[in-house]
Amino acid sequence: MGRFSPTVALAIAAAFLPALLSPASAEPVHAIAMHGEPALGPDFEHLPYVDPDAPKGGSIAYGVVGTFDSLNPFILQSMRTTARGVIDQEYGNLVYESLMFRSRDEPFTLYGLIAETAEWDEERSFIEFQIHPEARFSDGEPIKPEDVIFSFELLAEKGRPPYSTRLNFVDKLEKIGERGVRFTFGEDASRELPLLIAMSPILPKHAIDPETFDRSSLKPPIGSGPYLVSKVEPGQRITFERDPDYWARDLPIKRGQDNFDTVTVEYFLSASSQFEAFKRGLFDVFPEGSPTAWARSYNFPAITDGRIVKDEFRPQLPSGMLGFVFNTRRDIFADRQVRQALAMLFDFEWANRTLFDGAYTRTQSYWQGSDFSSLETPANALEKDLLAPFPDAVMPEIMDGSFTMPRTSGAGRDRASQRAAYDLLREAGYRIEGGRMVDENGRQLSFEVMTQNEGQEKLALAYQRTLTSLGIAMRIRTVDDAQYQQRSLAYDYDMIVKSYPSTLSPGAEQNWRWHSSSRDPQGTFNFAGAADPAIDAMIDAMLNARSDEEFTAAVRAFDRVLLSGWYMVPLYHVEEQWVARWAHIERPETTPIYGYTLPTWWDGRVAGE
């Protein structure tokens, strides 16, 4: 074989050098996934969990406890008092949409919606979207790159977390061509950030006054979603009507969804009045969270004659964590040993047997029931490497997988668990004096738990019973919804009952629950006031994992740190989802991995017309 001359060789090298040194060229795609590849190809016809032939028309009504005073879900002022449905994980994003749509049958995969395609590189140093040429707002105005740029800049300036932080790690936001918009990320951006950008709401630049955006308003908004706000009765009811000109109604990603002509959300003052209204047919769907109620309360005429149907769904999700949350901003809960001792004193076996007919499973991990859980799983080499800089962050028994929550006899007064808790309290400087648990200054160990309904109050009473036996004073204060939301927003409580749902793709939402940066700003979900460098590092590792193995190790190590911090008194979970529905509301047969999906249901009365 002949050899090239030096001149020819240099010319060939010069021609190929740029290609050798540059990253692989990116190509526009119809979908993006956090890990792995999207399950559906570019020619998919519909999502696998919908009925593509579901009839359109009819109506559905939902019922919720609480009130509302705003239709702006993006600002701090109305963060917890915005009408449901405007942008809603459960009822669907009826008014506002994002660039891409999340499939509920994959851990974290997004398919094009407002954005017809997305383009990124292997390093995820940028993401570029091409807006669908048919994308329109409800007033007929086309969605343009300028609307995308306006939305992110407005929310960065006047929005609430997490919308206000999406540009923090964006170095450049620019229009590309006629329909393109590109986000170029800084070195500290996580690998999840492109997906969070793709899920952010897009607002109409022409219809929003930035000067007044941060004020609560009941003015019906203009969005690009399938519904219009048709009637607002503040604090009582909001009604949405399907937009007959909805631009995306024929897209494959939307086939079999948004089937009702009318969607109404009814508001009630209490859970008991909500349930009674459901029984009378004032609304159509009732998700049930109590196994006792599911077993005992559904014996009224509409059930026995078949007008109401009880459905049980089994999603493929981790347990999440429900529990009493310690507000570590309070001095009384600053000591981890004190928190651990108090957590050990909740008698789950007694409460489960007495209050719930043994229906619940004790939760012992934030990701119980999945590969992300540290329960009964020793830390592997990757986890140990992640945790090595924080030698005191994880208890030895949690590191080696031998830890379980104390198990009592269920008789109601377990001496062994009480003795173990008392030993921890003594190490923390407490003693029993005159029947009261007091500190070195003679002050009783005393705190208040804030509850918002009868179910939480019942749990608190069961907890109070055990604490009282050791001379610990726990007061219970049940407040109305408005006060509960206001005090939650300002972290004005000692202890609160909260649920932290878990997914198969945990990500940046953990920053707003646990990261030190979310401890002080109002309106985050860091109800515990956590501020721990080990937590921050595990979240960072999770967000920047490059492989499934690295990601699993990071989440599992994160689970160990949270459990070792004793930020909560773990309670319980069930593996099913329970929903009662009036029989004219019908649903697809397929349940996606995230469980039942209300926007795919339809009014069966329409099918017979």
Side-chain angles (χ1 to χ4, degrees), residues 560-587:
R560 297 184 201 277
V561 175
L562 291 179
L563 291 172
S564 299
W566 293 97
Y567 296 103
M568 301 180 69
V569 181
L571 293 177
Y572 48 71
H573 65 277
V574 292
E575 296 179 341
E576 292 84 19
Q577 295 172 336
W578 300 312
V579 182
R581 58 183 167 90
W582 283 81
H584 64 271
I585 300 297
E586 299 185 13
R587 60 174 181 83

Side-chain angles (χ1 to χ4, degrees), residues 456-474:
Q456 292 183 2
E457 185 176 337
K458 184 165 62 173
L459 279 171
L461 287 168
Y463 191 22
Q464 183 187 58
R465 175 181 179 273
T466 308
L467 295 176
T468 300
S469 67
L470 273 185
I472 301 168
M474 186 186 86

